[in-house]
Amino acid sequence: QVQLVESGGGLVQPGGSLRLSCAASGSIFSRYAMGWYRQPPGKQRDLVASITNSGSTNYADSVKGRFTISRDNANNAVHLQMNTLKPEDTAVYYCRAGPNPIGFFYWGQGTQVTVSS
């Protein structure tokens, strides 16, 4: 079993930066692919960035060049560095781990990011 807790969200002005963190516990963290998803108000939850257990990364086109995902297996954590933030980045950001061997994904409870002038 994996439990995920996000932190680092908050209110920031356009052009600013935030660093989100996701702390994992309860399983072997290093074996799971990890992802950050976001859900703006009234919209669907979509992938922002992902990182495999070997370190390969993938980003949504809207955040390429601005966001960086990384993982720290020694500390069971994954991070999302967000730079040059835009109002359209406003969303609840969720950390995801998985799939596990039977196809189950683990989700954190989310952290709010608000980009406003």
Side-chain angles (χ1 to χ4, degrees):
Q1 184 180 3
V2 174
Q3 295 182 5
L4 306 173
V5 179
E6 302 97 334
S7 62
L11 176 64
V12 65
Q13 294 190 345
S17 298
L18 285 173
R19 186 173 189 254
L20 305 183
S21 296
C22 174
S25 63
S27 189
I28 303 175
F29 175 84
S30 63
R31 293 188 175 184
Y32 289 96
M34 303 294 298
W36 285 99
Y37 288 70
R38 67 185 181 187
Q39 187 168 19
K43 298 183 179 180
Q44 65 184 233
R45 186 180 300 184
D46 290 326
L47 175 69
V48 176
S50 63
I51 184 166
T52 69
N53 56 5
S54 63
S56 297
T57 59
N58 186 60
Y59 298 91
D61 287 342
S62 60
V63 307
K64 286 181 179 177
R66 299 189 298 121
F67 291 11
T68 303
I69 188 171
S70 61
R71 64 191 301 159
D72 181 357
N73 291 338
N75 292 300
N76 285 353
V78 62
H79 307 283
L80 185 68
Q81 178 66 46
M82 305 186 296
N83 298 326
T84 319
L85 283 161
K86 304 175 180 179
E88 51 264 44
D89 295 320
T90 296
V92 177
Y93 283 70
Y94 298 90
C95 180
R96 191 186 80 166
N100 75 358
I102 61 171
F104 183 81
F105 290 91
Y106 300 92
W107 291 89
Q109 293 183 330
T111 185
Q112 176 71 48
V113 172
T114 302
V115 185
S116 177
S117 60

